[in-house]
Amino acid sequence: MNARLDYFASPTAGKIMKQFMAVGRALKDSPLPAETQELVALRVSQINGCAVCIDMHTKEAAAAGAAPVRLNLVAAWREATVFTEAERAALELAEEGTRVADAATGVSDAVWAKAAEHYDEEQLTALAVLVSFMNSVNRLNIITRQPAGDYEPGQFH
């Protein structure tokens, strides 16, 4: 598959992607644990079917220390015993924040309250921005058919 746009060749894309990358770096520096960030990014990307982001965040999660069994079970996190309660809360918030059109309610109060039991306000801020950011990046990559498979951990950070 060939990409419809080359983000690195277009001056317009270059300006825009520079800003996107700045958001990504700010999230990396947030107090939300790195492995949690990668699990959430991976789950959002799985839901949206963004192959390039699935490739990237699987590899980044492994580099952050995630065990292969955890990566293999992200899509079935509800039935898996390898995630902490905090990670489960983050993954549930990520799913509701990604599937807003399915429920037409956004993130429920119960899901937000569960996440707030495990994360402070700064971490919740990072989690909410991460879910929104990943949905945006997924859509950009899907629209432009960015190919997957060649990502190297740390390549964009």
Side-chain angles (χ1 to χ4, degrees):
M1 177 167 73
N2 293 319
R4 290 175 170 160
L5 292 176
D6 181 349
Y7 291 141
F8 301 105
S10 163
T12 299
K15 289 178 193 175
I16 294 167
M17 296 313 291
K18 181 179 179 181
Q19 300 305 314
F20 266 93
M21 299 310 287
V23 172
R25 281 189 299 279
L27 284 165
K28 291 279 185 204
D29 294 338
S30 78
L32 188 64
E35 192 169 338
T36 301
Q37 289 187 42
E38 295 303 335
L39 294 173
V40 165
L42 176 57
R43 185 63 190 126
V44 170
S45 300
Q46 288 172 336
I47 293 167
N48 289 327
C50 181
V52 69
C53 290
I54 292 168
D55 180 38
M56 176 182 188
H57 294 290
T58 299
K59 292 171 180 174
E60 289 290 349
V69 68
R70 289 166 48 82
L71 297 177
N72 292 334
L73 290 172
V74 169
W77 64 267
R78 284 181 174 80
E79 294 82 20
T81 60
V82 297
F83 300 102
T84 68
E85 288 304 311
E87 290 167 338
R88 291 174 176 286
L91 289 166
E92 189 169 24
L93 190 146
E95 285 191 0
E96 284 197 4
T98 299
R99 293 185 163 140
V100 293
D102 296 344
T105 58
V107 175
S108 69
D109 289 340
V111 167
W112 184 264
K114 193 182 304 181
E117 290 175 16
H118 300 283
Y119 301 102
D120 65 25
E121 190 168 322
E122 291 300 303
Q123 292 170 318
L124 286 170
T125 298
L127 183 57
V129 171
L130 175 61
V131 171
S132 298
F133 175 73
M134 286 309 305
N135 275 285
S136 180
V137 171
N138 287 169
R139 281 153 178 77
L140 282 170
N141 287 328
I142 291 166
I143 290 166
T144 61
R145 292 190 179 162
Q146 297 298 313
D150 297 328
Y151 181 79
E152 295 294 328
Q155 182 176 333
F156 295 129
H157 302 290

